[in-house]
Amino acid sequence: MRLSHFRELMEGEFGRVRADSLSRDHVFAELDGQTVEQAVESGVDLRRIWRVVCEAYEVPAGRR
């Protein structure tokens, strides 16, 4: 998955403002205590990050 596609998925699901806030502010235990932005910068697979976000926010399977 490309970073641009990941960002599109985040914005499509949460809206631009909420996606930005969620990416910067929410710490995910499943990402070793990192935010989305920290996980991206540390090289965590974007698909894994997306799955973690989807689980945490109960995104329906059809939109994952």
Side-chain angles (χ1 to χ4, degrees):
M1 176 183 297
R2 293 176 161 258
L3 184 57
S4 59
H5 180 73
F6 175 78
R7 301 269 187 230
E8 287 174 14
L9 289 172
M10 290 288 289
E11 287 184 19
E13 187 61 37
F14 301 105
R16 184 175 181 188
V17 172
R18 186 165 181 224
D20 287 345
S21 176
L22 185 153
S23 293
R24 286 189 321 269
D25 301 331
H26 187 102
V27 174
F28 293 88
E30 298 84 353
L31 296 174
D32 299 324
Q34 298 182 95
T35 66
V36 167
E37 291 303 317
Q38 290 168 330
V40 168
E41 288 185 26
S42 65
V44 176
D45 179 66
L46 295 173
R47 287 181 198 93
R48 178 173 176 232
I49 299 170
W50 178 241
R51 285 192 300 267
V52 167
V53 171
C54 289
E55 286 293 320
Y57 286 89
E58 299 177 350
V59 174
R63 295 197 310 255
R64 292 183 181 198

